Amino acid sequence: MNPASLPEPYPSRRSLLRTAGLATVAAPLLGACVTAAGDDKPATTGGAKSAENPLGVKPDAPLEVVVFKGGYGDEYAIKAEQKYAEKYPDAEVEHQGLQKVGEAVQPRFVANTPPDVVDNTGAGRLDIATLVSAKQVTDLAELLDAPAFDQPGRKVRDTLLPGVVEDGTFDGSTVTLNFTYTVWGLWYSKALFAERGWTYPKTWAEMLTLCETIKKAGIAPWTYQGKYPEYLNDPLLTMAAKTGGLDLVKAVDNLEPAAWRQPGLTQAAEAFAELAGKGYLMSGSEALSHTEAQAAWCQRKAAFIPCGSWLEAEQKDVTPAGFDMVMGTVPAASTGDRMPGAAVQAAGSESYLVPAKAANVAGGLEYLRILFAKESATAFAQANNTLPAVAGATDGLTLSSGLGSVRDAVTAAAGDAFNFRFRTWYAPLAKAVDDATGELVNRRISVADWSARIQKASDALAKDGTVTKYTR
């Protein structure tokens, strides 16, 4: 929902903790064996708080950081560790860059000996809702209210893009901070469109007309990462939200009865069923992984592909020169939508947390204060062509075509950026939605079946007293 992760999440992602591609390849590790943090938490002796040490870090306390090493690598995290070591030269800093973070750290959560900082991202990541229920994560309020590392006069919370704090908030407590800012849309080659004289569609009717033109030109209008139908859900859900507004989004996230029968959702499902029914999806897309589908798109075998804003970074080694990939916002279903056409689905990814049982909680918070500094975020943007969660991080930079289009989309959306939370809160519902959409676009179930299947999964969760519920 994370490059090479995902939701993601979706968000990725999505679940929504998606950084690229594999965020939902495997279900997040769940917490049947994650125990609640009790009163036996080992005492951490902090340092004296001051203007230079606002979080009370003990200068010689060791710091251990575990980072998901996906498409973004982990060099950006290592640079923040080096800054930490410069400020606290007596502290030993240990770094691990891993592909399977959840698998590595879950036993340590069980043993109450977790690292001080965890980038809980990638396939098999820990289920954050379970960690929250077990009181295994630190409330980040102190960090958010601390002075920004390199922006005098501002608190950390005031330096973040819209929705970043909310994405990591459960029952009023912010327990994760997402370092990258993911925007979901439809990607195309600006060079191909210019060459063919095609114009990016603003409405779904225009999209279908263009798809017919593209098909007649011998190019598949769309492909998608078929093994992970979450990718196709992003534009479907975005279209639905634009139609039904935030009330639709809240009804879904709050597990309301008949939420998945709302007209905005069924109309969006019908639109994507029509996309498949008219033959506008590249043949064989269902069997493709994210890398295979994206490679075919880069080879101009298809004109559109749905993806989050990590796509450019993930494809950097295989994108042909002059391809000029850009992201467009999801076309409006109709002129009567409750959200403007510029509205985008956006959320954080690369999800950082400080375990409640960490030996050096203050150090973990200070590390995040350094990581989320503007200098750190700007360097990340330059290296990865990805929008960080820190506002203004790309100011003054010469941006690539992809990152420039993402930045422009966020600017145009202004206050109309939104995000579904159910993927983060309820992993089983996220899987039910993904599975149903995969069946829908491969013409094995009807829109009515799609709606009924997902609503059944939502209702089951709503009635399950063992599942902690969240509302917005």
Side-chain angles (χ1 to χ4, degrees):
M1 165 97 15
N2 318 314
S5 80
L6 307 47
E8 49 39 42
Y10 349 217
S12 47
R13 109 233 356 123
R14 230 166 26 228
S15 275
L16 272 177
L17 302 175
R18 310 166 275 187
T19 38
L22 300 179
T24 54
V25 172
L29 292 173
L30 302 180
C33 48
V34 174
T35 57
D39 295 332
D40 60 339
K41 176 183 174 180
T44 300
T45 303
K49 293 185 178 181
S50 65
E52 289 299 313
N53 187 7
L55 295 168
V57 176
K58 185 180 179 183
D60 61 350
L63 179 75
E64 183 183 1
V65 181
V66 174
V67 174
F68 171 69
K69 191 173 182 179
Y72 298 136
D74 59 352
E75 186 62 28
Y76 74 98
I78 293 172
K79 288 180 179 178
E81 292 162 20
Q82 292 169 343
K83 282 279 186 182
Y84 185 96
E86 289 173 10
K87 186 171 183 181
Y88 303 102
D90 293 330
E92 180 182 348
V93 179
E94 180 181 349
H95 171 88
Q96 292 187 70
L98 306 173
Q99 289 287 325
K100 297 181 179 180
V101 172
E103 183 179 295
V105 302
Q106 184 175 26
R108 298 185 58 184
F109 273 94
V110 174
N112 287 328
T113 59
D116 302 308
V117 179
V118 177
D119 172 11
N120 185 38
T121 301
R125 67 194 174 280
L126 293 169
D127 179 21
I128 184 63
T130 298
L131 292 178
V132 172
S133 297
K135 296 181 169 38
Q136 287 279 1
V137 280
T138 298
D139 189 327
L140 302 179
E142 187 178 9
L143 165 65
L144 291 169
D145 289 327
F149 188 75
D150 59 359
Q151 298 189 59
R154 304 184 72 189
K155 296 179 180 179
V156 171
R157 70 168 70 247
D158 298 330
T159 67
L160 303 175
L161 287 171
V164 173
V165 172
E166 289 76 10
D167 282 343
T169 299
F170 292 73
D171 283 342
S173 296
T174 303
V175 295
T176 67
L177 275 186
N178 298 314
F179 185 65
T180 64
Y181 195 70
T182 299
V183 184
W184 286 277
L186 302 179
W187 289 79
Y188 63 101
S189 165
K190 188 176 179 180
L192 173 63
F193 271 51
E195 176 185 310
R196 300 282 182 155
W198 298 336
T199 301
Y200 187 83
K202 294 182 178 180
T203 67
W204 195 249
E206 291 176 2
M207 169 62 79
L208 294 177
T209 298
L210 177 58
C211 284
E212 186 62 27
T213 300
I214 294 170
K215 185 178 180 181
K216 289 179 179 177
I219 300 173
W222 283 56
T223 188
Y224 77 105
Q225 303 82 341
K227 289 185 178 179
Y228 318 117
E230 171 186 8
Y231 284 85
L232 207 54
N233 265 324
D234 293 327
L236 189 159
L237 292 173
T238 297
M239 180 183 290
K242 288 185 178 185
T243 299
L246 291 179
D247 288 342
L248 180 148
V249 176
K250 290 178 181 179
V252 166
D253 288 343
N254 293 343
L255 305 179
E256 291 184 8
W260 289 90
R261 296 189 178 95
Q262 295 176 91
L265 279 160
T266 56
Q267 289 169 12
E270 287 169 358
F272 279 81
E274 185 176 14
L275 193 73
K278 289 182 177 292
Y280 294 154
L281 292 178
M282 187 178 77
S283 178
S285 289
E286 182 184 15
L288 301 180
S289 69
H290 69 296
T291 54
E292 291 168 338
Q294 290 160 196
W297 172 71
C298 281
Q299 294 161 8
R300 291 188 169 189
K301 294 179 180 179
F304 292 107
I305 191 167
C307 199
S309 50
W310 63 79
L311 180 64
E312 186 176 37
E314 191 168 59
Q315 295 298 106
K316 62 185 177 183
D317 292 334
V318 297
T319 303
F323 187 80
D324 290 341
M325 68 172 68
V326 290
M327 189 196 77
T329 55
V330 176
S334 71
T335 56
D337 284 358
R338 294 177 62 182
M339 285 188 185
V344 294
Q345 186 176 176
S349 57
E350 296 296 320
S351 181
Y352 279 83
L353 60 86
V354 175
K357 286 281 190 172
N360 188 6
V361 169
L365 297 176
E366 175 71 356
Y367 171 77
L368 293 185
R369 192 170 77 100
I370 295 170
L371 180 66
F372 282 78
K374 188 173 182 180
E375 179 184 8
S376 168
T378 297
F380 176 87
Q382 288 177 306
N384 293 285
N385 288 333
T386 299
L387 194 65
V390 178
T394 60
D395 290 353
L397 299 182
T398 299
L399 303 182
S400 62
S401 61
L403 181 53
S405 69
V406 171
R407 188 270 317 274
D408 292 346
V410 171
T411 301
D416 292 305
F418 65 92
N419 185 29
F420 288 86
R421 301 294 305 280
F422 73 89
R423 288 188 176 278
T424 307
W425 291 345
Y426 310 114
L429 180 56
K431 187 176 188 307
V433 176
D434 295 343
D435 290 348
T437 296
E439 295 291 285
L440 175 71
V441 298
N442 286 288
R443 308 175 70 184
R444 289 190 286 268
I445 62 173
S446 67
V447 171
D449 293 334
W450 176 88
S451 176
R453 282 176 54 163
I454 300 173
Q455 189 61 54
K456 183 178 179 180
S458 177
D459 291 343
L461 274 170
K463 295 173 183 176
D464 189 341
T466 67
V467 176
T468 301
K469 308 302 191 304
Y470 303 98
T471 59
R472 56 184 300 176

